[in-house]
Amino acid sequence: MAGRKKLGEILLESGVINANALADALQYATEHGKRIGEALVELELADEEAVTRALAAQFNMPFVELDSGSVDEEALKLLSEEIIRRHGVVPIGREGNRLRVVISDPLDLETMDVLRFRLNVDLIPVLAPPAKVRDFIEKFVNPMTDEMSKTMASIDHDAPEIEDKDGDGNILDGSDADAPIIRLINLVIAEAVRSRASDIHIEPMSDRVRVRYRIDGVCHVRDDVPKNMQSAVTTRMKIMSGMDIAERRVPQDGRIKLKIGGGQIDFRVSSCPSYHGESVVLRILRPDSVTIGIAALGFEDDDNKRFQQTIKRPNGIFLVTGPTGSGKTTTLYGALQDLNRPDKKIITVEDPVEYNFTGMNQCQVREDIGFGFARILRSMLRQAPNIILVGEIRDREVGDVAIQAALTGHLVFSTLHTNDAPSAITRLIDMGIKPFLVASAVQAIMAQRLVRVICKECKDVDPSPNRAMLSVLGFRGDQLEGKVFYKGKGCSRCGGTGYRGRQGIFEFLQLSSELRELAFNRAPTTELRRAARATGMRSLVEDGKLKILKGITTPEEVARIAQAEGLATFEED
């Protein structure tokens, strides 16, 4: 193999990239531990298809256009869906005693060995772009959508209501698979997990039960369950989550733990009586969703520097603000994981504890037995921690204890529900916490939101961006000259939305001596904001503008998420 050309040389010779692009990609690959092909795609210097064609030439392998017409269904059946998904391979046809298998990485020899062992045949590996392989698997290998439709059709609309009394809670393992209602719920849960949903909403209406998934913060209607199956659906959910099936008058909470797709997934379940029956919501708790690391949160370089400085202080309070679902917990867990070392003792008080982490002492609030935030916090201080996480500062009592902890040498992380960063100072004082304590204990406040990221598979230049929307966000005419805006066209990978995944936009306020004095003097929020802007704080909308110009998201998405609270900051001071 000594005479094999390098991938970069092949792409240079074919005119896909130039020498400067290759140099940039090599540097990026070295810094981030990537292969040169991955670096080129991530830097958008070459597309996946061009890189895959070059790999095919480099390894003298066939390149295929993967679609349903190029695949033999009998060959596809030779591998289970679980193997195809886990290894990202597609068997497409036989040639005598040899099997043609589509792969996307010619160096993945381990997968080839696994397939040879399982199938006991010789393989002819062929290459296709990774995105095409993923799309094919989602479209043609995943029978879940059809299966769900068949299951729905198998439920007789005129059948009497079913009440499930088995109570084993052990779904997705094939047990009781003949019962349509159990099979239907299995499919709803499994499809939601594979669709990257954060919540499943089962909502009774006058003539049906609506099923919706929340994906990237936006609800999508999945299907309607017949009204006469409402009791069976809610009963099954309550049995699985350990709720009282006889109690329908008051809200209940429960948890489900399931193994899906090779991973352990927790679900936090909530039932609430409504006009047409009990509404049930399942919050899908994926451990990987809060272990993405600080680098993936979406900080600009200057905000990242401030963030790192703040979380590495020996004492003080760091507050993260924003509405429910804005990623506050993910941000704080990211900070704690960065600090989680043997020489630090970390204690958290949460309601509820959603994710478990090795090396941290996590305490669950139990208000029913008087074990609330304030009592746990006081107990924590006798445990000699270095770092404390308080799930939320809800009232003066919790705020006073957190402040005292910060002033006695502890680093305290917590959240607060306010629209922006400067408002957090006013909110703490309005709770009844003395202004001089707020001014001396709080080190930094960060407001954040989550915006959807443009899907990389269908990302394209937007030839006619919405000028009115750009104007609302504060883009002036002279700022638009030479600027390129992007959007997602919609593909199978992103479900036709044009977005896949989310990233944060931030407003980071570090308390300067001037801001501390203003807080001490109970200055209004407008004055605090003006002083914060003077010290370099960038508003949510301004941070969103930077991500629009980088091609990460769209003007419509920033306007939808940031709304009006940050728009006034574009007026000239």
Side-chain angles (χ1 to χ4, degrees), residues 201 222 343 521:
H201 297 260
R222 174 58 185 89
D343 62 328
N521 292 321

Side-chain angles (χ1 to χ4, degrees), residues 12 70 79 110 137 156 189 226 234 248 252 306 327 398 416 446 460 468 477 568:
L12 272 175
S70 64
L79 285 178
E110 184 180 346
I137 291 172
D156 186 356
I189 292 175
T234 55
R248 301 184 181 184
Q252 296 187 65
R306 294 189 191 108
V398 176
L416 205 61
M446 186 174 75
D460 200 3

Side-chain angles (χ1 to χ4, degrees), residues 136-152:
F136 182 89
I137 291 172
E138 287 300 322
K139 270 187 177 178
F140 300 106
V141 179
N142 178 12
M144 190 162 295
T145 299
D146 291 339
E147 192 176 344
M148 189 177 296
S149 299
K150 290 175 185 175
T151 303
M152 292 290 294

Side-chain angles (χ1 to χ4, degrees), residues 478-493:
D478 58 331
Q479 293 178 314
L480 299 177
E481 292 180 12
K483 298 292 189 296
V484 179
F485 297 90
Y486 294 87
K487 66 177 181 179
K489 294 185 292 186
C491 64
S492 59
R493 183 77 174 148

